[in-house]
Amino acid sequence: MSTETTALATVKQHALVIDPNDEKMVELIRTTYLKNGTVAQLKLFIATTNRTGLDPIRGEICAVIRGGAMSIQTMRDGFRVIASRTGEVAGQDAPEWCDKDGNWKDVWLSDTPPAAARVKVWRKGHERPYVGIAPWKEFNNPHNPLYAKMPAHMLAKCAETQA
């Protein structure tokens, strides 16, 4: 396994390994990704990133704190990394979007958000794809301005993550 040491972390096969004793890196993670987190939550998040090999700097994993409780979430790019590590990824189809009448389209040009998005992910040795469908009414996040700015893109990311 190739290893390269940097000033802030150790990188093993493109996976970030955070040294919990590296004060600069721990402070970077705390101020960037866990602004309102406790020391215990910070330690748990770092341990989880190290265990999974997912990199918060690359947007593969994140921590969300609501009401004092932390939820560690794998992001779409993290699921791509996990799938790639299996060596069994056979690609995916382009996203499709559904209008309010149930018609699927391969491009979304309307100014209104699609009713749903769908992505099919293929795995070697499987005859059928894994299908992720993300209905707008279930996945729209009004707290994230990107859903208002680019709803089709954000919904497609949700569908891909489901697949």
Side-chain angles (χ1 to χ4, degrees):
M1 179 183 300
S2 87
T3 302
E4 178 184 331
T5 301
T6 66
L8 296 177
T10 302
V11 178
K12 292 184 179 180
Q13 292 184 342
H14 306 290
L16 178 70
V17 178
I18 300 168
D19 179 356
N21 298 312
D22 184 331
E23 293 178 14
K24 288 182 180 178
M25 184 58 144
V26 170
E27 182 63 11
L28 173 68
I29 297 297
R30 187 192 67 74
T31 59
T32 306
Y33 303 102
L34 281 160
K35 294 176 184 168
N36 299 319
T38 67
V39 171
Q41 289 169 329
L42 176 62
K43 287 180 179 180
L44 178 60
F45 182 62
I46 289 172
T48 302
T49 64
N50 287 343
R51 183 180 52 78
T52 61
L54 297 177
D55 187 341
I57 296 170
R58 290 184 176 166
E60 298 168 355
I61 190 169
C62 74
V64 177
I65 299 175
R66 290 188 189 100
M70 180 177 68
S71 170
I72 299 174
Q73 300 175 0
T74 304
M75 307 301 286
R76 183 211 37 199
D77 289 346
F79 283 114
R80 285 177 171 176
V81 167
I82 293 166
S84 179
R85 287 177 186 163
T86 69
E88 296 184 17
V89 175
Q92 69 183 55
D93 293 348
E96 299 171 289
W97 294 271
C98 185
D99 64 22
K100 63 181 177 60
D101 297 321
N103 302 307
W104 291 97
K105 301 173 184 293
D106 59 2
V107 64
W108 191 258
L109 300 175
S110 174
D111 291 334
T112 60
R118 174 172 66 190
V119 173
K120 297 174 183 175
V121 176
W122 296 84
R123 184 173 179 174
K124 293 176 185 174
H126 293 247
E127 292 182 20
R128 301 185 54 81
Y130 291 87
V131 180
I133 298 176
W136 177 257
K137 66 182 178 180
E138 294 177 16
F139 285 85
N140 174 30
N141 181 352
H143 303 291
N144 183 338
L146 293 177
Y147 280 82
K149 184 177 180 179
M150 45 184 169
H153 172 75
M154 297 303 288
L155 205 56
K157 286 175 63 172
C158 294
E160 181 182 343
T161 299
Q162 292 295 310

